[in-house]
Amino acid sequence: FPFWYGISFQLHGDTSKMHLTEFIEIYKPWFDSLVSKFKSDSCWIVNHISDVKWFPNSEQTLPLLRTLFKQHHIPNNFKGAILFDRDDLLKFSSDLISYPNNVFAKETSLYNDLEISHAETPFIIHISGHLNIDLLSTDKQLLNKIVNENRSDIFNLKEYRGTSLSIS
């Protein structure tokens, strides 16, 4: 099995009282910048960590993603991956980065985390319900390059055990 290297981009301080809109305002520009550095014809695979329904409810949350499902006649109980090109991933970025915290209309209810995998590069963006986004790769040099290109003083970087990146 390949070894996965990872790093978590976390906000400084206590995020327990942070509103989801504030989280989106902070992470969306960073996420969009990160994804924009990949080729426009890049294919991205968006999936849950475990095989669960995409929408276990019919609440009025995640409007763009729910509209996408309706337009393509995908039932809310669909289980599986969704494919996006880079531009569509950017179009749906607010809904995707807020997904674990926003499926339910209650602020304290979390749903399943998402993993957004690049189809050609060993690279994953892990969207956590704990208001952070992690980057993972089996290619340590690639991860190091991506992290250094997307650093920001807004985030506290926490490396996964055994990762040891050369962060500049």
Side-chain angles (χ1 to χ4, degrees), residues 35-57:
V35 170
S36 293
K37 291 177 181 159
F38 287 85
K39 294 186 282 182
S40 62
D41 63 348
S42 294
C43 182
W44 295 85
I45 304 161
V46 181
N47 206 357
H48 297 105
I49 291 179
S50 55
D51 200 20
V52 296
K53 299 174 186 176
W54 269 88
F55 295 108
N57 59 32

Side-chain angles (χ1 to χ4, degrees), residues 99-115:
Y99 178 87
N101 298 83
N102 205 11
V103 169
F104 301 106
K106 299 175 190 170
E107 282 194 31
T108 57
S109 296
L110 297 177
Y111 196 53
N112 216 338
D113 293 354
L114 288 181
E115 288 196 340

Side-chain angles (χ1 to χ4, degrees), residues 8-24 26-27 97-102 107 110 113 126-134 155:
S8 184
F9 282 72
Q10 302 177 1
L11 294 173
H12 298 283
D14 182 16
T15 59
S16 64
K17 293 181 176 56
M18 178 181 280
H19 291 281
L20 197 53
T21 53
E22 186 179 358
F23 170 79
I24 293 168
I26 294 169
Y27 274 95
I97 65 174
S98 66
Y99 178 87
N101 298 83
N102 205 11
E107 282 194 31
L110 297 177
D113 293 354
H126 179 93
I127 309 295
S128 170
H130 298 289
L131 299 179
N132 58 276
I133 296 177
D134 298 354
F155 302 110

Side-chain angles (χ1 to χ4, degrees), residues 126-146:
H126 179 93
I127 309 295
S128 170
H130 298 289
L131 299 179
N132 58 276
I133 296 177
D134 298 354
L135 305 179
L136 300 104
S137 182
T138 56
D139 183 335
K140 188 174 181 179
Q141 289 179 321
L142 171 68
L143 183 62
N144 197 71
K145 178 180 182 254
I146 290 171

Side-chain angles (χ1 to χ4, degrees), residues 150-163:
N150 294 283
R151 288 192 53 144
S152 170
D153 291 338
I154 297 170
F155 302 110
N156 183 23
L157 303 181
K158 297 206 175 190
E159 293 183 358
Y160 285 29
R161 186 180 354 203
T163 296

